[in-house]
Amino acid sequence: MKLGLLLRRHFWLCILLTLAVSAAMAPGLLKIRIDPSFDSFLPPEDSATVAYQQFLRDYGNDGVVLLGVNTGEPILSLRSRRRLDKIVREVRDDGQVESVMALSAGLMLDRAEPGSVPLSAAALLISELNPELQARIRAAPFVDGFLLGRDGSDWAAVMMFTRSEVRTNLDSAGAFIARLRAIKQRAAEDSVQVALTGIPVLKVELRTAVVDDLVRLSPISFLCVTVCLILMFRSLRDLLIAQLTILLALVWSFSIIGWLGWAVSNLSATLPSVIFVVGVADTIHIITVYRLHRSRGLPKQDALPRTVAETVLPCLLTSVTTMLGFLSLSVSELPPIREYGLLAAFGVFSAFTISMLFVPCALFVCDRHAPGVLPPRVGGLALGRFLKTVETLVFRRPWWVLTGFALLTLAALAGIPHVTDETDFFSFLPADNEVNQGSAVFSREFAGIGSYEYLARSSQGFRSPAQLRTLAAIEARIGSWPTVRQTVSVVDFLKLQAMLQGGLAAESYALPSDSAGLTKLLDNLEQSDFGSQSLPRYVRPDWREVRISAWAPPARSELVQSFRDSLAVLTQEYPDLEIVKTGSDEVFFKMARALVDSQKNSFLLAVITIIVAITVLFMSLRMGLFSILPNIFPLAVAFGLMAYLGIPLNTATAMVVPITLGIAVDDTIHFLAGYRRFQKEGLSPREAVRATLEDVGSAVSTTSLILVLGFGALLFGSFNPTGHFAVLTIFTVIAAWLGDVLLLPVLLDRIRPDFSSVCERNPSE
């Protein structure tokens, strides 16, 4: 009662203090920055991250911006070539473009050395090309699958290498992509189809999706929670108090992001909804108990301390267990997931603190009327009939309940080995998204949207003819791997140089057989304009390290793993060389594997800490262990759904199990607390179960409804992992609700534990 009396004595101070802290923290909202990229998901000191950053410094960006062009006519027709050339010239005029690769008259003539281009300006832009010349163009190096679509396709590609500002600054990248979209729009007006994709475009689109979800989903979640509150309270005063509590908790949670200098990642789109639905639970409990005491005739001076005394322990316990579920994510190796867990835990702490300090005092100040009656239960008679059916099953068909839950749990657990992780981050956006549509075009018509990067290192260097032939053999092996359509290395540049020196004959596209000829060819390449522009992207100045790019469509984790296995075999065949894999896909793969490990660690930590917390606060190991029993089922459901619905383990779904465990155990705590209370009042175990179902069952159902509706708002997100998170969370919450109103009562009725002697620590004393 001491805390309640203190709040009653200083109610204005508590209200003003809460508002003052909120006002002091609010400027942090202006410091928030958005970083949806996946480059920061691994720690900076991680070996894959270190290698990738070094790769970027040595060779530049491994991602290019891609435009696919289809005029609706044969791509080598005069009209199509003119249209393509117009687009290429517009792209090249952009200040953020360093270089362009395209089958364009302007590009070829501007860069060509005298006598090195088989086509004249007239042939490219004035004359139609005969079939023989078209065949020569398609057979030329770096044309089929790169500059033109594979197997005679009528698509042409425009590959853009951008300046570092576009690669490192998302605002600059966004402005650049917007200019490309304007070019695409102008082309569409000329009946030219343009596909836009590439890793830089993906990063911009992910940021757009994060911002869009934050803007759209937060109001939807807020509206869902508001509807539930209206149905529960039917009081404008109580509704406004609950809404203000949620908003203040949201201000505290997001302000701390700005003050700590953290970034809003693609995970953070779910954070407002989580705070809405989780944070409102304490407020609902406090308002309900306060109104109950007022309806029973207590004056508000007595209702306030009584409300605080009765609610502080269950609210503290449920908040602690939920916080522990979020904090279990702090063991993750991935900084954004670790930060998400800390922020969500702080959000729950903020909601609890504001609920205990602000809500009782606000109710006290705004209570100007005679006490009214309690609003009807959500669901009314339907919920009452459901609880009667539950009671019948619990007491008359307990083995049906146990058998059903056991079979469902086993079926769900059987799917765990089939849960997969995901490294194709294009799949994080909807299939009809512009970036994915462009990705589909380049995966179907060209060599792919990006490259898998490999580095070969030799202490002897790769300038000697023998080492260059070894490099050619390694490149050929990599090119034979599944889905790899094209490889590029310094070997290909040497072959192209040989072709230029050989009068552009197709048979001259090969390495010279004699060492002297190969050495001379290498010298000529280094002295040419083409070599001076291309070699720095594929070989270090001392020639001790060379780059091999393998172009392929986006690959799932199992295919990337097969690449790694093939690389291990290849490395054993060349013991004198060091061959390593790097690039953005390697970082993505390492992150996906870290997700699996963090899932295991977070789950185990969440289970242990929640048991310990309940044991300490209730001073009973039996209650701590008993609270986990009904929550095995929802955890199994989460894993089973991932397996049977094909939902991969990704940045969002990796958080479902520890989070939902922290949330699901809340209702279990309320049920066990009610069971213990009725046992203390002298009821038999069966009667205590029956009374708890009647007293707590409605509240548990109402809370679950709020959680389902609140998380349901995430289904409207434009970021696929957010939708996966919503589906898993919704069904897990439903499973937890069924476990608490069906399985837990059966277990209590069959095992009949005696909790009547269990005491508790009451923080209000």
Side-chain angles (χ1 to χ4, degrees):
M1 293 288 287
K2 290 182 180 179
L3 178 59
L5 295 174
L6 184 64
L7 293 179
R8 186 182 67 182
R9 188 178 304 116
H10 303 290
F11 58 90
W12 276 117
L13 177 62
C14 293
I15 293 175
L16 293 176
L17 179 62
T18 303
L19 297 177
V21 171
S22 302
M25 296 184 68
L29 296 173
L30 302 177
K31 301 177 180 291
I32 292 178
R33 58 187 178 87
I34 298 176
D35 181 12
S37 69
F38 293 93
D39 299 346
S40 61
F41 262 68
L42 289 175
E45 66 276 7
D46 182 83
S47 59
T49 304
V50 172
Y52 181 52
Q53 293 302 322
Q54 184 62 48
F55 171 84
L56 294 179
R57 288 191 293 270
D58 292 342
Y59 299 101
N61 194 11
D62 63 332
V64 296
V65 180
L66 301 169
L67 284 179
V69 179
N70 189 328
T71 65
E73 303 173 359
I75 194 61
L76 290 179
S77 68
L78 177 60
R79 178 178 169 86
S80 294
R81 297 197 310 274
R82 286 175 174 175
R83 288 176 167 182
L84 174 63
D85 187 70
K86 179 182 177 181
I87 293 174
V88 171
R89 290 180 185 274
E90 285 190 80
V91 168
R92 293 184 64 207
D93 290 340
D94 194 292
Q96 295 291 2
V97 176
E98 282 187 347
S99 60
V100 181
M101 289 182 62
L103 189 68
S104 162
L107 184 64
M108 294 179 70
L109 293 176
D110 289 349
R111 290 196 168 187
E113 298 176 4
S116 64
V117 180
L119 306 176
S120 65
L124 283 168
L125 295 178
I126 300 175
S127 306
E128 290 287 357
L129 304 179
N130 59 52
E132 180 183 355
L133 194 52
Q134 290 189 27
R136 287 179 61 192
I137 291 175
R138 287 192 176 275
F142 301 110
V143 172
D144 186 61
F146 272 109
L147 303 184
L148 292 180
R150 298 183 301 138
D151 303 325
S153 167
D154 284 324
W155 282 86
V158 181
M159 301 183 179
M160 290 161 277
F161 296 90
T162 59
R163 300 190 185 279
S164 59
E165 185 179 358
V166 173
R167 301 193 294 265
T168 58
N169 188 306
L170 281 175
D171 291 330
S172 298
F176 173 63
I177 300 304
R179 294 193 293 272
L180 292 182
R181 288 194 170 109
I183 294 175
K184 177 180 177 180
Q185 179 61 34
R186 289 193 293 271
E189 294 172 358
D190 194 26
S191 301
V192 176
Q193 182 182 356
V194 176
L196 174 63
T197 191
I199 298 296
V201 188
L202 173 65
K203 292 181 179 180
V204 171
E205 200 65 18
L206 287 175
R207 182 180 69 167
T208 302
V210 171
V211 174
D212 183 61
D213 283 356
L214 283 172
V215 172
R216 291 192 307 108
L217 301 186
S218 298
I220 295 176
S221 289
F222 191 75
L223 178 62
C224 292
V225 173
T226 299
V227 170
C228 291
L229 294 175
I230 292 174
L231 292 174
M232 287 189 66
F233 298 138
R234 302 190 181 183
S235 164
L236 180 61
R237 178 201 66 186
D238 296 342
L239 174 64
L240 293 177
I241 290 175
Q243 287 179 323
L244 183 57
T245 302
I246 297 172
L247 292 177
L248 291 178
L250 200 61
V251 169
W252 285 27
S253 302
F254 272 80
S255 295
I256 202 69
I257 298 178
W259 288 117
L260 292 176
W262 294 351
V264 175
S265 68
N266 42 49
L267 303 180
S268 304
T270 64
L271 191 56
S273 298
V274 170
I275 294 174
F276 285 155
V277 299
V278 175
V280 75
D282 292 342
T283 300
I284 291 174
H285 193 52
I286 293 170
I287 294 176
T288 301
V289 174
Y290 179 84
R291 293 182 63 176
L292 178 62
H293 287 309
R294 291 288 280 141
S295 67
R296 291 176 177 174
L298 279 181
K300 66 178 186 179
Q301 290 80 4
D302 295 333
L304 188 150
R306 287 285 296 274
T307 298
V308 174
E310 292 181 14
T311 58
V312 64
L313 177 67
C315 288
L316 173 63
L317 189 55
T318 54
S319 297
V320 167
T321 54
T322 304
M323 288 173 61
L324 291 175
F326 286 121
L327 288 174
S328 67
L329 298 173
S330 63
V331 301
S332 173
E333 297 179 12
L334 310 181
I337 291 184
R338 187 166 60 241
E339 292 172 5
Y340 183 95
L342 294 173
L343 289 173
F346 180 76
V348 175
F349 167 78
S350 301
F352 169 75
T353 303
I354 295 171
S355 295
M356 296 312 305
L357 292 180
F358 176 77
V359 174
C361 298
L363 289 171
F364 182 79
V365 170
C366 298
D367 192 353
R368 305 289 186 183
H369 316 94
V373 297
L374 285 173
R377 293 175 175 176
V378 176
L381 296 175
L383 180 57
R385 286 196 297 267
F386 172 77
L387 293 177
K388 286 295 184 183
T389 303
V390 167
E391 186 176 315
T392 301
L393 289 174
V394 168
F395 297 126
R396 296 185 181 180
R397 301 287 189 272
W399 291 109
W400 287 17
V401 174
L402 293 175
T403 302
F405 273 90
L407 292 176
L408 289 174
T409 301
L410 291 175
L413 292 176
I416 291 181
H418 304 287
V419 175
T420 61
D421 51 35
E422 184 56 86
T423 58
D424 176 14
F425 288 92
F426 282 87
S427 67
F428 284 11
L429 295 172
D432 59 353
N433 183 274
E434 176 189 42
V435 177
N436 272 333
Q437 289 180 338
S439 173
V441 168
F442 274 85
S443 296
R444 181 181 68 249
E445 306 290 345
F446 297 92
I449 61 166
S451 54
Y452 298 93
E453 301 296 341
Y454 299 88
L455 298 177
R457 301 186 181 111
S458 171
S459 59
Q460 301 175 6
F462 287 92
R463 289 186 61 88
S464 69
Q467 291 294 83
L468 284 173
R469 290 191 173 89
T470 298
L471 179 62
I474 293 173
E475 181 184 352
R477 284 287 300 278
I478 293 176
S480 67
W481 293 350
T483 75
V484 175
R485 295 176 178 172
Q486 187 74 44
T487 56
V488 180
S489 77
V490 66
V491 171
D492 299 283
F493 301 149
L494 285 168
K495 292 179 180 179
L496 181 59
Q497 182 68 24
M499 187 176 183
L500 293 174
Q501 295 177 184
L504 297 165
E507 59 272 13
S508 63
Y509 185 72
L511 293 179
S513 58
D514 61 302
S515 298
L518 186 53
T519 301
K520 183 178 179 180
L521 181 66
L522 179 57
D523 292 338
N524 292 340
L525 176 62
E526 290 180 319
Q527 295 171 12
S528 67
D529 290 340
F530 171 73
S532 63
Q533 294 176 9
S534 303
L535 287 179
R537 293 184 179 274
Y538 278 87
V539 62
R540 300 297 298 139
D542 60 3
W543 282 78
R544 294 179 183 274
E545 179 182 277
V546 295
R547 167 188 177 185
I548 303 173
S549 299
W551 283 72
R556 299 184 66 90
S557 297
E558 56 269 21
L559 186 56
V560 176
Q561 180 61 53
S562 73
F563 290 166
R564 293 167 65 93
D565 296 339
S566 299
L567 179 62
V569 175
L570 186 63
T571 303
Q572 293 177 356
E573 296 178 6
Y574 296 92
D576 296 335
L577 301 180
E578 180 186 5
I579 308 174
V580 297
K581 190 174 185 297
T582 186
S584 57
D585 68 289
E586 180 67 12
V587 175
F588 293 166
F589 180 83
K590 185 74 175 292
M591 187 194 73
R593 287 294 178 258
L595 284 173
V596 177
D597 295 336
S598 67
Q599 178 82 303
K600 298 175 183 176
N601 296 334
S602 298
F603 169 67
L604 294 175
L605 181 62
V607 171
I608 294 172
T609 52
I610 288 173
I611 291 176
V612 171
I614 297 175
T615 299
V616 171
L617 289 172
F618 275 108
M619 300 182 67
S620 170
L621 179 60
R622 287 176 298 164
M623 290 195 73
L625 295 174
F626 216 92
S627 65
I628 294 298
L629 292 179
N631 290 296
I632 295 175
F633 174 65
L635 297 181
V637 167
F639 284 115
L641 284 173
M642 293 178 70
Y644 295 124
L645 297 182
I647 297 177
L649 189 63
N650 54 43
T651 53
T653 57
M655 303 184 298
V656 168
V657 170
I659 289 176
T660 52
L661 176 60
I663 295 174
V665 79
D666 291 354
D667 290 339
T668 305
I669 291 171
H670 283 297
F671 202 100
L672 290 176
Y675 177 80
R676 178 189 53 78
R677 184 174 71 251
F678 287 117
Q679 274 196 330
K680 281 188 173 183
E681 293 177 2
L683 297 183
S684 66
R686 171 159 291 194
E687 291 304 316
V689 170
R690 193 187 307 274
T692 304
L693 269 175
E694 295 176 356
D695 187 66
V696 180
S698 178
V700 168
S701 301
T702 302
T703 303
S704 299
L705 176 63
I706 292 176
L707 290 171
V708 168
L709 290 178
F711 285 120
L714 301 178
L715 292 171
F716 299 96
S718 54
F719 189 56
N720 283 343
T722 301
H724 295 159
F725 177 85
V727 170
L728 294 177
T729 305
I730 288 171
F731 279 98
T732 305
V733 167
I734 293 174
W737 169 62
L738 292 174
D740 287 327
V741 299
L742 272 174
L743 180 60
L744 182 57
V746 169
L747 292 175
L748 290 172
D749 184 56
R750 306 306 295 180
I751 301 176
R752 301 190 175 185
D754 184 7
F755 294 145
S756 60
S757 60
V758 173
C759 59
E760 62 192 43
R761 301 181 186 273
N762 195 331
S764 68
E765 295 299 335

